[in-house]
Amino acid sequence: MLNIAIDDSDSLYRNGMEIFLKEIFLEEQTEPVQINSLNRTNATQVDIIVKSFVAGAEYVCQPLLKHRVKPGVIIGIYDGDESPHHNELPLCIKNIVFINRAEPLSTAREQVIQAWKDNAENAKPLNRKKCLKCKYRTLTPQQVTIAKHLLRGYDIIDIAKLLEIHVKTVSAHKRLMMSKFNLSTDCELLQFLKNLKSHNPPINMFMDRCL
């Protein structure tokens, strides 16, 4: 039995992905497939993980994935024209395969099959992640404070008044956050912060350690 766990809020896409993966692995592996939602319990045990990534999420720690020791495939689903793959991916997603949500099925199929073959050829237990050596990016304490207010819907003028600092200081921190996580728009920034809040440890746990 091949175990797959999926984390994607788009139910229509998720249903399509489930059918897609079942067809691939029933054909390639000739064995049944069991699919569940990704959670802390199954994250370390499944053979394949499918996880959606908003812009910027590829730079931060992925708590659900960092304790994985069982070899397997991680498939990252993303939107937009620019691939999230870069040379300093966090250790927990170092060997991830990114697939665009608008990818042709034939291309996605080739990527998934190749990733599974590569995994089979290197099927040895994964080393426990050494987080202190990881290059994942985080927020500074001041950026955490500003991020909280942005998520509450305040603009930079409101935030400057609340924190009793100059509006240019708030604006500079906002620009730094967007630059650090390669975000292009305010919409991407808010989506990234919402994702960070919901998927990562308490907000004081992802303050700046090394940047």
Side-chain angles (χ1 to χ4, degrees):
M1 175 72 73
L2 196 67
N3 290 299
I4 300 175
I6 300 180
D7 176 16
D8 195 309
S9 59
D10 186 331
S11 58
L12 185 61
Y13 184 86
R14 176 193 166 115
N15 290 338
M17 177 60 72
E18 290 183 6
I19 295 169
F20 174 66
L21 292 174
K22 285 178 180 178
E23 288 179 350
I24 288 178
F25 289 105
L26 280 173
E27 178 180 325
E28 295 291 324
Q29 302 298 314
T30 62
E31 63 177 327
V33 174
Q34 179 173 309
I35 300 179
N36 294 297
S37 295
L38 179 65
N39 56 51
R40 292 186 182 276
T41 302
N42 63 24
T44 61
Q45 304 297 322
V46 295
D47 302 293
I48 298 175
I49 289 172
V50 181
K51 189 177 188 306
S52 62
F53 279 73
V54 301
E58 68 276 11
Y59 291 98
V60 302
C61 175
Q62 303 293 325
L64 281 181
L65 307 183
K66 68 180 182 179
H67 298 301
R68 290 176 61 249
V69 292
K70 182 177 182 179
V73 174
I74 301 176
I75 301 170
I77 307 299
Y78 72 97
D79 293 289
D81 299 326
E82 186 177 349
S83 170
H85 196 278
H86 57 82
N87 294 327
E88 296 185 356
L89 288 170
L91 294 176
C92 48
I93 57 170
K94 195 69 177 176
N95 297 317
I96 193 170
V97 177
F98 282 111
I99 294 178
N100 192 294
R101 204 176 288 272
E103 198 96 65
L105 286 178
S106 58
T107 305
R109 181 185 179 86
E110 289 175 6
Q111 290 179 278
V112 171
I113 292 174
Q114 186 59 53
W116 184 254
K117 288 180 178 178
D118 292 343
N119 173 71
E121 291 174 2
N122 300 283
K124 57 183 179 180
L126 304 175
N127 294 325
R128 186 175 178 83
K129 309 301 181 295
K130 298 179 180 179
C131 292
L132 291 178
K133 295 183 179 180
C134 186
K135 296 180 179 180
Y136 72 86
R137 300 181 185 181
T138 56
L139 299 174
T140 66
Q142 183 75 307
Q143 289 168 356
V144 168
T145 301
I146 291 170
K148 287 179 179 178
H149 290 303
L150 287 171
L151 285 172
R152 294 185 183 116
Y154 297 129
D155 61 22
I156 59 174
I157 296 174
D158 295 329
I159 296 171
K161 289 178 180 177
L162 285 167
L163 301 181
E164 298 181 338
I165 58 178
H166 200 284
V167 66
K168 288 185 178 180
T169 302
V170 179
S171 180
H173 277 296
K174 182 181 173 184
R175 287 198 304 272
L176 284 170
M177 283 191 279
M178 295 180 71
S179 175
K180 185 184 292 187
F181 300 104
N182 195 27
L183 305 171
S184 303
T185 66
D186 287 355
C187 182
E188 284 188 350
L189 175 60
L190 288 175
Q191 190 177 34
F192 167 75
L193 293 175
K194 288 177 182 177
N195 181 75
L196 195 62
K197 181 180 178 182
S198 62
H199 285 85
N200 283 59
I203 201 158
N204 63 333
M205 294 295 287
F206 55 79
M207 288 182 179
D208 196 359
R209 300 176 301 107
C210 55
L211 297 179

